[in-house]
Amino acid sequence: MLAAVGMLDGRRATTHWAHCTELARDYPHVMVDPDALFVQDGPFITGAGISAGTDLVLAIVENDYGTDVARRVARWMVVFLQRPGGQAQFNVWSQAGIPTTRGLRWSSTRPPTTRPPRWPPASR
């Protein structure tokens, strides 16, 4: 949305690895960083996914309240201590073998935006 209205023009940004190419193609004035978990450029912060959102929140807490408070928040949330925002995103599908369950076999052959089949199947 920020890119669509031009607010990220000339700024660094990231998104989920599956959408970085599309973001860069559709918004060529945005400097897309496909490896970052989150990017802060000026007043805007963009993130790569759900876990990156946790990293982002902990970075904001650390920035506003200090490292000790951020560590206590991470402990309370039962998450690993904050990862640096420049850590590369990981694409598990590019490193995984053939899935052994029906659901994973289905999802690994579809684009990320395709809806999965209903499970369990509706009874007839």
Side-chain angles (χ1 to χ4, degrees):
M1 186 177 281
L2 292 172
V5 296
M7 297 178 84
L8 294 179
D9 287 358
R11 296 187 182 276
R12 286 180 59 240
T14 194
T15 190
H16 190 275
W17 60 264
H19 303 288
C20 285
T21 301
E22 179 183 353
L23 179 63
R25 181 192 68 228
D26 293 349
Y27 303 98
H29 297 293
V30 178
M31 296 174 282
V32 178
D33 185 344
D35 294 322
L37 296 175
F38 61 88
V39 170
Q40 181 170 5
D41 190 338
F44 304 109
I45 305 172
T46 55
I50 293 170
S51 295
T54 300
D55 296 322
L56 171 60
V57 168
L58 290 171
I60 292 170
V61 169
E62 182 177 36
N63 187 57
D64 290 351
Y65 297 99
T67 302
D68 184 55
V69 172
R71 284 190 179 127
R72 290 187 299 177
V73 170
R75 184 175 180 200
W76 182 260
M77 294 173 63
V78 192
V79 295
F80 289 108
L81 291 178
Q82 176 181 345
R83 299 177 291 176
Q87 179 179 337
Q89 296 183 39
F90 300 107
N91 177 351
V92 67
W93 300 118
S94 68
Q95 301 167 1
I98 297 171
T100 58
T101 65
R102 178 178 170 210
L104 287 177
R105 278 193 303 275
W106 184 90
S107 67
S108 68
T109 61
R110 304 302 191 282
T113 56
T114 306
R115 298 190 95 183
R118 180 182 168 154
W119 189 258
S123 57
R124 296 183 181 210

